[in-house]
Amino acid sequence: MEKTISHSPLGASTCHRWWECPGSVALIAKLPKQEQSFAAAEGTAAHHFAEHALNVIKTSKGLAHMNYDAEIGKTVMIEDSEHEIEISENMVEAVIVYINTIKAELVKSNWKEFLIEHPFHLDIDQDAWGTVDAMLYVPNEKIILWDYKHGKGTLVNVDNNKQLMYYALGAVNNFNISPLDIDEIITYIVQPRASHPDGWIRKCTYSMPDLKRFEIELKVKMEATRSLNAPLKSGTHCKFCPAIGDCPAIRAEAQVVAKKDFAAVPELSVEQMVKLLEMSPRITDYLKEVSIYLKAKAERGEIIKGFKLVKAKSNRVWKCQSKVIDDFKDALGDNIFEKRKLLSPAKLEKLAKGKIKKDDFMNYIDKPDKGLVLVPDSDPRNAVKTSASEDFDFNILD
């Protein structure tokens, strides 16, 4: 199974970046072709697998599904990439969550069209095109679209998600729908491998006027990327930007940090500390790129003063566990095995599915309080009101 990877420079998946940093588009265009990371290739493979499974469901009108177990162990070769990804049990379990979400809607809705990995183009710009993971049209009622996220490291919020609103415009344009044909456009993020306070499946609904306002602003933002001196702006949108190692805005931030001369923390103002903390992820990513470039130079034989190439650390592993057991079990007995360890609550709940109710475990489970952690406002978790702030509020009321 092989797929061609193609993305618009102004596509939906990167909309959050160039919306905030219009200059990033031209900067990225100057870079040599980037190798796809393993995580990205794995996500692509999961989408291919999901597409295959959804086509089986579509053909049966939601009444059948493929043999998922038979797919485990197969490989997907990602075109334009060196990665050959194996379909693992973990991948199958995650994709099934996505598939079952769509299947439930297919069974209950009187739908007219159901499209999978469907390309679209918007009239507002020559580069305004992309591919929607899955979308459903229910005449005189609604459009539903789903976006599958295989990643587990970065939580994706659904509310006012520019990528989904971009896709929603594509869906409306594809079905050639007038504002009077539907009442709402429902968007879903399905991210089964990441723990989000709102769950794996998150929903946001838009009206046609909502999308029209977004379309007008989207066109303006796209035009801004083509300005001769389109500005570069650093921020949380820099995450995963391929130009982070060659970006003047990031370099400027790094210089700001360097000029602080590591002043004693108590001497910094709260504003300075907040700014440094907010910049730290981007500076860290920038330094990672520096490390990658230096390593590549060293591998080509260049001398990097103060550094050297060494063998990466690794742990010894058995070549063949079954042979070790056969050859040494008689002499060493069961001591060659680690002691049995009780499964975690999550794994035990999974094992007991269909046999024991999840609620039956509640009295046996404790979730230790590990205290508080400071995170950006963009984090989806609810803010905690500390006792100090409560005392402050009480004093004001007094």
Side-chain angles (χ1 to χ4, degrees), residues 288-305:
K288 285 180 182 177
E289 288 295 309
V290 170
S291 178
I292 290 170
Y293 272 79
L294 283 179
K295 180 173 176 283
K297 287 177 177 291
E299 288 174 340
R300 291 195 298 267
E302 293 187 39
I303 302 298
I304 308 299
K305 189 176 180 180

Side-chain angles (χ1 to χ4, degrees), residues 355-368:
K355 301 175 184 177
I356 301 174
K357 293 180 180 178
K358 189 174 180 181
D359 289 344
D360 291 344
F361 292 113
M362 293 302 294
N363 290 335
Y364 300 85
I365 296 173
D366 182 31
K367 191 170 184 180

Side-chain angles (χ1 to χ4, degrees), residues 74-92:
K74 292 183 179 180
T75 58
V76 181
M77 189 66 199
I78 307 300
E79 190 174 311
D80 295 332
S81 165
E82 296 181 357
H83 301 295
E84 185 176 15
I85 307 297
E86 181 178 333
I87 298 176
S88 65
E89 183 178 358
N90 177 270
M91 180 185 292
V92 170

Side-chain angles (χ1 to χ4, degrees), residues 139-370:
N140 303 314
E141 189 177 341
K142 60 190 174 184
I143 288 176
I144 308 174
L145 62 89
W146 293 267
D147 188 43
Y148 176 72
K149 302 294 186 186
H150 194 64
K152 57 183 178 180
T154 302
L155 296 176
V156 182
N157 294 319
V158 70
D159 294 335
N160 298 311
N161 183 298
K162 293 181 176 62
Q163 181 179 5
L164 288 182
M165 295 178 79
Y166 193 131
Y167 285 158
L169 285 175
V172 170
N173 186 70
N174 179 84
F175 294 129
N176 194 25
I177 296 169
S178 75
L180 300 178
D181 284 342
I182 57 171
D183 297 323
E184 58 186 6
I185 301 95
I186 303 172
T187 64
Y188 284 98
I189 289 284
V190 183
Q191 192 176 17
R193 300 173 74 222
S195 179
H196 192 288
D198 296 331
W200 292 340
I201 303 160
R202 305 183 284 279
K203 171 184 174 183
C204 188
T205 301
Y206 300 99
S207 65
M208 290 292 283
D210 290 335
L211 292 186
K212 188 61 182 177
R213 286 190 291 270
F214 175 75
E215 182 181 42
I216 293 170
E217 195 171 2
L218 180 65
K219 188 175 189 301
V220 172
K221 294 292 184 179
M222 287 181 162
E223 290 172 349
T225 67
R226 295 197 171 89
S227 297
L228 186 61
N229 295 309
L232 292 163
K233 176 186 174 184
S234 61
T236 55
H237 51 271
C238 296
K239 185 74 172 175
F240 305 124
C241 178
I244 197 167
D246 196 42
C247 178
I250 297 295
R251 290 201 300 274
E253 278 198 329
Q255 289 166 0
V256 168
V257 173
K259 288 177 181 177
K260 293 296 179 186
D261 291 326
F262 297 99
V265 171
E267 296 176 10
L268 297 172
S269 67
V270 171
E271 290 75 15
Q272 287 174 317
M273 287 189 278
V274 167
K275 182 62 177 175
L276 287 170
L277 197 59
E278 195 271 332
M279 289 191 299
S280 64
R282 298 190 291 281
I283 303 302
T284 299
D285 288 341
Y286 174 70
L287 293 176
K288 285 180 182 177
E289 288 295 309
V290 170
S291 178
I292 290 170
Y293 272 79
L294 283 179
K295 180 173 176 283
K297 287 177 177 291
E299 288 174 340
R300 291 195 298 267
E302 293 187 39
I303 302 298
I304 308 299
K305 189 176 180 180
F307 290 85
K308 61 185 177 182
L309 286 176
V310 298
K311 283 286 186 181
K313 291 183 179 180
S314 64
N315 295 322
R316 297 179 301 161
V317 296
W318 296 116
K319 294 179 180 177
C320 178
Q321 291 189 13
S322 60
K323 184 168 176 54
V324 174
I325 295 170
D326 290 342
D327 290 351
F328 297 107
K329 190 174 186 301
D330 288 343
L332 301 175
D334 287 340
N335 289 329
I336 67 172
F337 299 106
E338 289 190 67
K339 292 181 180 180
R340 288 194 305 169
K341 180 182 177 182
L342 185 63
L343 294 175
S344 68
K347 290 182 178 179
L348 196 58
E349 286 170 350
K350 179 180 173 182
L351 177 68
K353 192 174 183 180
K355 301 175 184 177
I356 301 174
K357 293 180 180 178
K358 189 174 180 181
D359 289 344
D360 291 344
F361 292 113
M362 293 302 294
N363 290 335
Y364 300 85
I365 296 173
D366 182 31
K367 191 170 184 180
D369 187 344
K370 294 189 175 181

